Amino acid sequence: MEHKLAALGRKPEGTCIQVGDVNIGKDFCIIAGPCSVESEEQIVEIAIEVKRAGAAVLRGGAYKPRTSPYSFRGLGRAGLEYLRKAGDITGLPIITEVIDTRDVYLISEYADILQVGARNMQNFSLLVEIGKIRKPVLLKRGMNATIEEWLNCAEYILNEGNPNVILCERGVRTFETYMRNTLDLSAVAVAKRLTHLPVFVDPSHATGKRELVETMSLSAVMAGCDGLEIEVHSNPQNALSDKEQQLLPKDFEMLLKKTGKLVEFRKQLEV
């Protein structure tokens, strides 16, 4: 394998990334928010809800890579402004996806963490541009990517001088059709074994079904992940994207209570 910069032996103590009040890689971190920023009121309301429940980072898509060009593709710069305002009001750092090399520097002006989505995992030009920015980057595994391919994409970012890379498993495409994707929790264990980078799990995109998010979140904790990225919406049935997988705030709050207990239990097992 060629992932020499991400290799565990290079930094056995693991990488810790300070974002706001959370130390990613040391503290268990929850990223939460809607799939898409739909309005200023919507994202501010959700930001308040997820912070109250215990989230450490606010997510929201301003630029959305959609399968169909006729689907809602985000509010663009206005979405960034609304997301930044919600982050400032609540004190939460914000994360949003970058899908175009031309938007890297613009989005960097607003976001605390940049996200590379599954469809852009092997967009090498984008990885290089993001690598020139020192802000943390959450790199999602492509739905058709091997673990080695995923880690080599992290190398593109690291090789440009940005050490602040977070890996995120979000499900891979298999012959199974009941779920949106198949969550590969073995990839979490492998990534933790091979690299010094923090590893997150996105159970929302992995399953595509809100009723499975809790079970897979708790399973991900026991697989050893460093955090979760979960989609939350006040009115998911009317969401402009991914309505089937977003949790209601009350269900998200209950999930975090269970997650917190399981994280503490995991710590006892690691002693």
Side-chain angles (χ1 to χ4, degrees):
M1 289 192 178
E2 300 177 1
H3 45 274
K4 57 184 180 181
L5 297 178
L8 180 60
R10 189 177 181 89
K11 197 173 183 180
E13 72 277 13
T15 287
C16 293
I17 303 169
Q18 188 72 38
V19 183
D21 295 330
V22 66
N23 197 335
I24 296 173
K26 180 181 178 181
D27 306 324
F28 193 84
C29 174
I30 301 290
I31 299 171
C35 176
S36 300
V37 178
E38 299 170 2
S39 68
E40 180 179 328
E41 180 182 12
Q42 172 245 15
I43 191 64
V44 169
E45 178 184 354
I46 285 293
I48 293 170
E49 291 278 8
V50 298
K51 181 178 183 179
R52 183 177 60 81
V57 179
L58 174 66
R59 65 147 290 143
Y63 296 88
K64 301 295 298 179
R66 305 303 301 280
T67 302
S68 169
Y70 309 114
S71 300
F72 177 66
R73 295 162 68 186
L75 298 177
R77 186 165 190 156
L80 292 176
E81 293 172 352
Y82 299 154
L83 185 61
R84 182 69 269 166
K85 182 174 182 179
D88 291 342
I89 288 173
T90 58
L92 291 175
I94 63 172
I95 179 173
T96 195
E97 186 170 354
V98 185
I99 64 174
D100 194 313
T101 55
R102 295 169 295 183
D103 297 325
V104 171
Y105 293 94
L106 170 65
I107 293 175
S108 295
E109 292 176 7
Y110 292 89
D112 300 292
I113 307 174
L114 306 179
Q115 178 173 298
V116 177
R119 290 179 175 86
N120 275 304
M121 187 201 80
Q122 289 182 305
N123 184 339
F124 300 117
S125 296
L126 180 62
L127 299 179
V128 167
E129 285 303 308
I130 286 178
K132 297 174 183 177
I133 306 293
R134 294 299 181 266
K135 288 196 172 184
V137 180
L138 186 141
L139 176 66
K140 290 196 172 184
R141 181 185 178 189
M143 66 279 288
N144 299 309
T146 66
I147 294 173
E148 184 172 359
E149 289 169 337
W150 182 31
L151 299 185
N152 277 327
C153 288
E155 288 291 312
Y156 268 87
I157 301 170
L158 295 168
N159 191 49
E160 290 299 320
N162 187 345
N164 303 310
V165 178
I166 305 160
L167 300 172
C168 184
E169 161 62 30
R170 48 81 70 203
V172 292
R173 182 167 291 174
T174 68
F175 54 79
E176 181 54 64
T177 59
Y178 181 80
M179 297 166 292
R180 180 172 181 172
N181 296 284
T182 298
L183 180 57
D184 182 9
L185 290 180
S186 63
V188 177
V190 172
K192 294 293 292 182
R193 188 178 184 86
L194 295 180
T195 83
H196 56 79
L197 303 175
V199 182
F200 276 51
V201 170
D202 176 355
S204 301
H205 282 93
T207 65
K209 294 180 179 291
R210 69 174 58 85
E211 64 270 21
L212 297 177
V213 169
E214 178 179 302
T215 301
M216 300 318 299
S217 294
L218 299 179
S219 299
V221 172
M222 293 312 297
C225 72
D226 296 292
L228 299 166
E229 183 174 37
I230 299 172
E231 292 192 346
V232 184
H233 196 289
S234 296
N235 187 10
Q237 291 304 322
N238 291 319
L240 298 181
S241 58
D242 290 350
K243 60 180 66 177
E244 296 85 3
Q245 65 193 40
Q246 300 190 70
L247 298 182
L248 287 165
K250 64 180 181 64
D251 296 326
F252 174 69
E253 184 175 7
M254 289 299 298
L255 171 58
L256 260 59
K257 290 179 180 178
K258 295 179 181 180
T259 301
K261 292 178 180 179
L262 201 57
V263 169
E264 290 303 314
F265 175 69
R266 190 178 76 179
K267 289 178 180 178
Q268 295 175 20
L269 294 178
E270 292 171 350
V271 173

